[in-house]
Amino acid sequence: MYGDATNWNEDEYREAILKEREIQTRTVFRTAWAPPVPARIPNPDAFVVASSDGTLAFHSLNSLVSQSASFGYSKGQDVMVAEPERVVRAHDGPAYDVKFYGEDEDALLLSCGDDGRVRGWRWKEFAESEASLHLEENHAKPLIELTNPQHNLLIQILTGSEDGTARIWDCKTGKCIRVIGSQDKKSGLHISSIALDGSESWLVCGQGKSLALWNLPASECVSTISIPAHVQDVMFDEKQILTVGAEPLLRRFDLNGALLSQIHCAPCSVFSISMHPAGVVAVGGYGGLVDVISQFGSHLCTFRSSSL
């Protein structure tokens, strides 16, 4: 078989190969569901992906599901590469986390990255911008921009540490007011992830290949759950615990540590779980992969987000 090399462009070919490899080695560090506008709409649609290339990408679930019909579920081989509705270079270096603060049209989209900055946008303006699909600084100017912020409007914050403890801090004084866990350095187990339930009575900490569940009013570790792989994210769903880690699995436990379900995910190593109030879960991880799973455990769509 012969090809026509008349219009061959080596530079374009090289650039396409490098871009494809960059996409496949990217890591999704966080996914976050956007608050519906208006708030009475219960169905999940918009969510944002924070990646190791420093971008925040906004995707529509409805659009992704319709596009992915011809692909089916894939564990990362021939997965769909999806064009985001909007994408912005938010950080110099990886974007590690993204959160929404507030509801409806007043919601803020907040992100933090390896450059030590916390940045924020009005979500409505970010999502509905008529500027180019690939937003640059002049089209997506942050509403706030803080470098190593020292002031916090919250009363308390919760942190996990490499010394194996979780700590509660008073934001007004900057002092630690409570230490949770043992400071035994011999254990070598640092806290990789933490989550607090809605009642603020239960705290779960990811430590190596285990989860430690704490009853905060009693200051007691009530159970330790062993997991085959290192824990990389954890969250509560009412009285149940969802966790992901260095394996392609999403696990669900009850508060007694009993395994309720486990679902295979597309990323071989999963860094993030986020759940919409309707029960739809988005997980993201290595390979730039995002896997959206319904409340019934079926895969709604699997994709890689294209880059700037």
Side-chain angles (χ1 to χ4, degrees), residues 42-211:
N43 296 325
D45 184 32
F47 62 99
V48 174
V49 175
S51 300
S52 56
D53 62 354
T55 61
L56 303 182
F58 154 43
H59 289 275
S60 164
L61 178 59
N62 293 333
S63 175
L64 289 168
V65 170
S66 62
Q67 293 177 54
S68 64
S70 59
F71 284 85
Y73 173 61
S74 170
K75 294 184 179 179
Q77 300 301 318
D78 299 318
V79 72
M80 173 178 67
V81 177
E83 279 287 329
E85 306 293 325
R86 295 287 182 271
V87 58
V88 62
R89 179 82 63 187
H91 297 279
D92 295 326
Y96 288 125
D97 206 355
V98 60
K99 299 288 184 184
F100 284 93
Y101 179 78
E103 299 178 352
D104 290 350
E105 299 178 355
D106 298 325
L108 297 179
L109 173 64
L110 305 173
S111 69
C112 64
D114 197 54
D115 54 7
R117 296 181 182 275
V118 176
R119 311 182 81 188
W121 295 261
R122 288 189 176 91
W123 168 238
K124 183 179 179 182
E125 294 178 3
F126 185 97
E128 298 180 358
S129 172
E130 296 180 357
S132 168
L133 172 70
H134 297 269
L135 301 177
E136 296 296 343
E137 184 69 22
N138 58 332
H139 290 135
K141 190 71 175 177
L143 176 67
I144 61 172
E145 184 165 342
L146 307 174
T147 302
N148 296 327
Q150 300 298 316
H151 302 283
N152 196 310
L153 298 179
L154 300 175
I155 299 174
Q156 297 177 347
I157 59 173
L158 183 66
T159 64
S161 176
E162 291 186 355
D163 66 0
T165 65
R167 295 170 184 256
I168 300 176
W169 302 80
D170 186 312
C171 294
K172 292 182 179 180
T173 64
K175 295 181 179 180
C176 176
I177 59 176
R178 187 174 177 184
V179 178
I180 302 165
S182 171
Q183 295 179 263
D184 181 9
K185 296 182 179 180
K186 294 181 180 179
S187 67
L189 294 178
H190 71 278
I191 293 182
S192 58
S193 54
I194 56 176
L196 192 65
D197 82 322
S199 69
E200 299 187 356
S201 297
W202 296 96
L203 172 72
V204 63
C205 303
Q207 295 179 280
K209 295 182 178 181
S210 66
L211 296 173

